[in-house]
Each structure stands twice: as C-alpha cells, then as structure tokens.
Amino acid sequence: MPPQKRIFREDILEAAADLVRQEGPAALSVRNIAKKLGCSTQPVYSEFENMETLREELTARVRERCLREDAGSYKQVALSFLQFARREKNLFQLVYLRRRVEGERFFEDPNEAQTIRKLQVNLELTARQAAEMHRRMQYYCYSMAVMMATGYLNFSEEEVSRELTEYYRIILSYYKQTKSEQELQHWLERSRNLLV
C-alpha cells in the first residue's frame, strides 16, 4: 500500500505565503518551502511543475483572497488595496513589485468590471470613459501603495482618505468637464455612494 499523502497543494501555498510574509519574496524557493513544511522537496515538486508555476498560483491566490472586494464603494476598494500594501508589505511586493512578461496586464484588479459599471451608472459615463477614469485612479492609488509597501512614506488613515477624496474630485471634474464648484458638487452628490 502506497504511503498516505500528508502534504497537499493547499498546505504548500499556505507555507509559501507565510514564508513571503516573514522573509520577503526573495526567500521564496522550493527548498525554503519544504523546510517550512518539515519535508523534502519531493511533495512540492509533485504538486507544482516548477517554481514559476508555484509563484503564479500563489500570486493569483493572494490577489483573490486579499484584494477581492464588493465594489459597492469605490473608495472602500481603494482603501482595502492600500491597507493590504500597509499590512502585508511582502505579499504586496510579491504581487505588484515584480518584473512583468511582455503582454502581461499591469494591474490585476479582481474588482475591475464591477467598478467600471458603477462609475458608468453613477456618473453617466461611457464604458470607455469609466475604464479610463478607473485606470487613472489606479495609477494614483498604486503609487501610494508602493510608497507604503516599501516604507518610502507612511500615510495615516486620515491622509489616505483625504488624498483619495481629493484626487477623485480632480479626476471627476476632468471627466465631467465641470465649469463651476456647483456643477462639481452635483456630480459628487451623484457619486456619494461611491465615496463612503
């Protein structure tokens, strides 16, 4: 009778995530994962073809588990992303601060379709306009997250909230071509549910 399997794919991914949390993305190797699990490298290689396959699956798993949000509040999705960068610096670096292969999407946003639809409906934008507005908000949010994850700047919760709201006002004014504060206030009121 063959020996019973005691280390499963899920165990390996959990150990890999813990390893990155504690030691950073550079520590991610089959040998280090096996050491963390208290086994040889054989169970890791029997579940994953190679280190790149394991890294890809781990990245997708972290992105899905840590970043999936109900896109009811546009601001809440951004705040969750920034909290992830602050709280899980090493996992953030694994997912977002890595070399991209040619043709790979820059942002892996599990909330993108929902978010763009909310912007379209609330702001009466075309799908193209809403996608472009969202992309620009992503650029801004991503730059803040990188500064937080790398220790370059440490924004307080109040600063993060204020920055997101202020940039949203600027970009909203641009996309709605507002000509007065009153007109901007109208669109801010229309999108109030996105900013809570």
Side-chain angles (χ1 to χ4, degrees):
M1 181 179 219
Q4 234 182 353
K5 185 175 179 178
R6 67 178 190 90
I7 296 176
F8 297 89
R9 192 174 197 89
E10 185 67 23
D11 301 322
I12 295 166
L13 289 169
E14 205 51 52
D18 286 344
L19 182 66
V20 171
R21 268 188 190 101
Q22 293 164 6
E23 299 181 36
L28 194 59
S29 71
V30 172
R31 181 169 280 126
N32 287 342
I33 294 167
K35 183 178 175 184
K36 188 151 193 63
L37 290 167
C39 67
S40 71
T41 59
Q42 189 277 328
V44 179
Y45 281 120
S46 70
E47 289 294 333
F48 294 94
E49 182 180 325
N50 55 40
M51 192 60 217
E52 190 53 40
T53 305
L54 192 153
R55 184 182 300 274
E56 286 171 12
E57 192 167 325
L58 177 61
T59 298
R61 173 194 165 118
V62 168
R63 190 172 44 246
E64 186 63 29
R65 286 191 174 180
C66 297
L67 298 172
R68 166 90 45 204
E69 282 286 327
D70 172 20
S73 167
Y74 192 43
K75 188 174 186 178
Q76 188 54 52
V77 172
L79 288 170
S80 292
F81 178 73
L82 292 167
Q83 287 166 358
F84 170 67
R86 177 191 319 244
R87 188 181 62 249
E88 296 283 4
K89 289 175 174 40
N90 288 335
L91 288 175
F92 178 90
Q93 290 176 27
L94 172 78
V95 175
Y96 291 101
L97 300 182
R98 59 187 167 82
R99 283 217 177 277
R100 308 296 168 140
V101 290
E102 193 172 326
E104 183 182 2
R105 289 191 67 199
F106 185 62
F107 290 108
E108 302 92 355
D109 180 358
N111 307 296
E112 187 172 54
Q114 273 183 297
T115 301
I116 289 170
R117 183 71 190 133
K118 293 279 186 187
L119 290 172
Q120 275 185 269
V121 169
N122 284 273
L123 300 175
E124 298 175 10
L125 296 171
T126 66
R128 185 188 61 72
Q129 288 172 317
E132 189 177 289
M133 181 177 172
H134 180 54
R135 189 182 74 245
R136 288 184 174 183
M137 287 295 296
Q138 282 180 313
Y139 292 160
Y140 188 73
C141 195
Y142 183 80
S143 65
M144 287 177 65
V146 168
M147 287 187 276
M148 292 166 72
T150 59
Y152 183 74
L153 285 177
N154 190 19
F155 297 99
S156 70
E157 297 293 323
E158 296 79 29
E159 287 172 314
V160 167
S161 181
R162 188 174 55 247
E163 286 292 323
L164 289 174
T165 300
E166 187 59 31
Y167 191 71
Y168 180 80
R169 286 174 54 92
I170 292 166
I171 205 160
L172 176 63
S173 180
Y174 173 80
Y175 279 94
K176 294 311 292 181
Q177 295 293 299
T178 60
K179 293 172 180 45
S180 68
E181 182 63 26
Q182 183 180 1
E183 201 176 339
L184 176 59
Q185 287 304 318
H186 165 76
W187 289 108
L188 285 169
E189 184 61 30
R190 282 285 307 267
S191 58
R192 183 183 41 178
N193 64 320
L194 298 176
L195 299 175
V196 290

